[in-house]
Amino acid sequence: MHKTGKLIGVSLGPGDPSWITRRAWEVLSSSAHWAYPVREAGQTSYALEIVRRGGLPVADDATELVFPMTHDAATLAKAWGNAAKQVCEKLHSGKDVAFLVEGDASTYATFSHLSSAVGSEVPDLEVETIPGVTSFNAAAARLGQPLVKAHERFAVLPAGYDLATVERLLPEFDTLVLLKVKPLLPELIDLLQYHNLDDNCAFVERAGTDGERIVTDPEQMRSLQANYLSLLLVRNPDRRSS
């Protein structure tokens, strides 16, 4: 009986190819078929560029999967359907499919949506998720400071939060990670200044790449033209204990 291939989420970390795990490297060096995400057809893939910088050759038949940046349900459904169809064709041929994921495949990643879409078409689908370095772990390491210490609390907020949510959570956590801060950066700095926390935050962009940028001066942060792949790490040294 013909065996269906396995779908593998290959976490690559946020940018530095030396942060790719040995298991991920092993899969990338195997006969598994590569698939990688782009926002538009023909556009550069951030995940694929991490692998290229690591020196691994990219196969000519690697599959580009288009996932548009939109909230339109119909457009997204069509994109997921097309991606699942392309992956299923490879899996049904017996090939394992390695889907390249920036950061960690289990953390706000496209891979969970892809595996769900493919799983609805392949009921007996075997899935492997290879863990990787997250952007916020990398950011803390690049800053040379702990993300969280013993008995402390930390929270991670994805894109889509609002200022009221941030303000509500500030007193509750010793470290607050705010992802994809580009749309709200000046307003966030104003909020942190109001709570006397602007000197306890750091801006990190494209961690681990040649374009990495780290800013700890809140006045500089206000005027930054931030990249989509940017975050703030906020420390609250006076958090009330419970």
Side-chain angles (χ1 to χ4, degrees), residues 8-31:
I8 309 170
V10 183
S11 300
L12 303 172
D16 187 338
S18 68
W19 295 339
I20 298 174
T21 67
R22 291 180 65 176
R23 174 56 184 154
W25 196 271
E26 180 182 56
V27 170
L28 293 170
S29 303
S30 72
S31 61

Side-chain angles (χ1 to χ4, degrees), residues 39-118:
R39 297 179 191 175
E40 297 178 8
Q43 192 179 61
T44 300
S45 168
Y46 189 83
L48 193 62
E49 286 305 308
I50 296 173
V51 176
R52 280 203 176 104
R53 290 197 300 274
L56 280 169
V58 178
D60 293 336
D61 66 344
T63 300
E64 172 188 270
L65 301 179
V66 179
F67 302 115
M69 294 294 291
T70 178
H71 295 293
D72 181 73
T75 301
L76 288 173
K78 183 178 179 181
W80 289 119
N82 288 337
K85 180 180 178 181
Q86 293 176 80
V87 171
C88 286
E89 287 176 356
K90 296 298 181 181
L91 294 173
H92 287 313
S93 73
K95 294 283 289 185
D96 290 344
V97 175
F99 181 68
L100 310 186
V101 185
E102 63 196 57
D104 173 68
S106 297
T107 310
Y108 304 121
T110 307
F111 182 64
S112 62
H113 299 288
L114 179 64
S115 59
S116 177
V118 174

Side-chain angles (χ1 to χ4, degrees), residues 1 19 35 62 81 95 115 137-139 145 176-177 186 198-199 206 226:
M1 183 176 177
W19 295 339
K95 294 283 289 185
S115 59
N137 284 116
Q145 65 184 44
L176 202 58
V177 178
D198 52 321
D199 288 329
R206 295 168 61 90

Side-chain angles (χ1 to χ4, degrees), residues 85-219:
K85 180 180 178 181
Q86 293 176 80
V87 171
C88 286
E89 287 176 356
K90 296 298 181 181
L91 294 173
H92 287 313
S93 73
K95 294 283 289 185
D96 290 344
V97 175
F99 181 68
L100 310 186
V101 185
E102 63 196 57
D104 173 68
S106 297
T107 310
Y108 304 121
T110 307
F111 182 64
S112 62
H113 299 288
L114 179 64
S115 59
S116 177
V118 174
S120 65
E121 302 295 328
V122 185
D124 59 346
L125 176 67
E126 182 181 358
V127 177
E128 177 183 355
T129 304
I130 300 172
V133 177
T134 65
S135 61
F136 47 89
N137 284 116
R142 297 295 289 151
L143 288 164
Q145 65 184 44
L147 182 64
V148 66
K149 300 176 184 177
H151 309 300
E152 290 185 341
R153 300 175 178 177
F154 87 103
V156 181
L157 273 67
Y161 53 79
D162 54 32
L163 294 176
T165 299
V166 176
E167 186 165 32
R168 177 173 56 83
L169 293 177
L170 279 173
E172 301 296 330
F173 296 93
D174 301 276
T175 300
L176 202 58
V177 178
L178 306 176
L179 301 179
K180 299 174 183 175
V181 296
K182 179 179 178 177
L184 285 175
L185 187 55
E187 292 86 351
L188 285 168
I189 300 305
D190 288 341
L191 176 65
L192 294 175
Q193 183 180 49
Y194 178 79
H195 289 279
N196 297 314
L197 292 173
D198 52 321
D199 288 329
N200 292 287
C201 72
F203 170 91
V204 181
E205 179 180 276
R206 295 168 61 90
T209 71
D210 291 340
E212 177 183 272
R213 180 165 52 165
I214 297 174
V215 180
T216 56
D217 182 342
E219 290 307 314

